Amino acid sequence: MHLDDKTGAYFDFGNHTEKVRLRWYEDREAMKRELLRETLEAPQLQLVPHVGYVSLFPFMMGAIPPESWVLEKQLDLISNSSILWTDYGLRSLSRTSSMYMKRNTEHDAPYWRGAIWINMNYMILSGLHHYSHEDGPYKVRAGELYDELRSNLIRNIVGNYQETGFFWENYDQKNKGKGKGARSFTGWTSLVVLIMAESYPSLHR
């Protein structure tokens, strides 16, 4: 139900339309001005075509058979710099998405619409580590991506820590991996210690 055969990505399924915009509305009596979402087309039941972390959950859980063509497509999504890959970690939403770095409302910044989050990168690393040890046609490629993504994450998090003295809530995929949001965020960003130790949950069934 959630797999898109063309891209090999997993998508949300539900009422959706791409024809949505934010528009300023004025209430002169209340002397109020609000930026509200306006739907220009009736939503229809369909796959929601936005590649991001949500597209990789079966991969993160090791649920895709190691010989499956779907696994190859997932590795393609991870490694594509026009989609998720950066030198600092994986974006939360594809750069090609119509929602990339777009606000949801006037007061709702694009929190999960591009920034690099360490908890999700940790789980993707866990998937790559798993498949790099599973016999199959994509074993070597999974290992190569694992090594490169792990190095990128460690280098960026440690570099930010050395520069600012903080672990950050998330990292800017556009501004050279600069730390953003809450600090000192020793919640999931402290997963860098497990990444360094290569300590991951077992995904073997």
Side-chain angles (χ1 to χ4, degrees):
M1 181 179 182
H2 293 278
L3 178 64
D4 176 42
D5 291 336
K6 292 181 181 178
T7 63
Y10 293 89
F11 293 129
D12 282 332
F13 183 87
N15 282 316
H16 178 73
T17 176
E18 286 291 294
K19 295 188 177 180
V20 178
R21 67 182 180 185
L22 292 178
R23 179 181 170 193
W24 285 105
Y25 285 86
E26 293 188 8
D27 184 340
R28 294 185 179 179
E29 291 184 7
M31 298 183 67
K32 186 178 179 182
R33 191 169 182 252
E34 286 185 284
L35 189 63
L36 300 176
R37 187 165 48 243
E38 180 180 47
T39 303
L40 305 175
E41 176 185 81
Q44 296 181 354
L45 280 174
Q46 59 182 294
L47 292 171
V48 181
H50 297 282
V51 175
Y53 295 151
V54 70
S55 308
L56 301 173
F57 273 108
F59 173 85
M60 295 181 206
M61 299 296 109
I64 302 169
E67 69 282 354
S68 173
W69 67 272
V70 177
L71 179 56
E72 180 182 26
K73 292 292 189 180
Q74 295 273 294
L75 297 177
D76 289 343
L77 294 174
I78 289 169
S79 61
N80 190 328
S81 60
S82 295
I83 299 178
L84 300 179
W85 188 271
T86 79
D87 291 337
Y88 316 103
L90 299 180
R91 299 180 185 93
S92 46
L93 185 65
S94 171
R95 199 168 66 175
T96 61
S97 169
S98 61
M99 293 185 179
Y100 176 68
M101 297 307 294
K102 297 290 179 62
R103 301 186 73 87
N104 192 43
T105 69
E106 179 182 0
H107 305 291
D108 189 1
Y111 208 46
W112 287 85
R113 295 183 173 179
I116 296 164
W117 295 83
I118 305 310
N119 52 340
M120 294 290 100
N121 274 267
Y122 173 78
M123 291 305 300
I124 293 164
L125 274 179
S126 179
L128 288 168
H129 186 264
H130 168 74
Y131 287 112
S132 71
H133 290 84
E134 291 286 294
D135 288 335
Y138 313 112
K139 179 177 180 177
V140 172
R141 187 177 180 206
E144 291 171 348
L145 288 175
Y146 168 78
D147 288 340
E148 191 171 356
L149 178 58
R150 178 174 174 269
S151 295
N152 287 348
L153 287 164
I154 293 171
R155 183 174 58 252
N156 189 56
I157 295 169
V158 171
N160 270 275
Y161 182 79
Q162 290 173 339
E163 183 179 337
T164 67
F166 293 109
F167 284 157
W168 293 81
E169 184 178 7
N170 58 73
Y171 294 85
D172 194 335
Q173 79 288 358
K174 296 169 75 175
N175 189 16
K176 298 182 179 179
K178 185 177 180 180
K180 300 194 311 179
R183 62 175 191 177
S184 172
F185 202 86
T186 50
W188 51 59
T189 301
S190 61
L191 285 166
V192 68
V193 177
L194 295 183
I195 293 172
M196 289 174 168
E198 298 189 273
S199 178
Y200 305 103
S202 174
L203 301 182
H204 288 281
R205 297 175 178 275

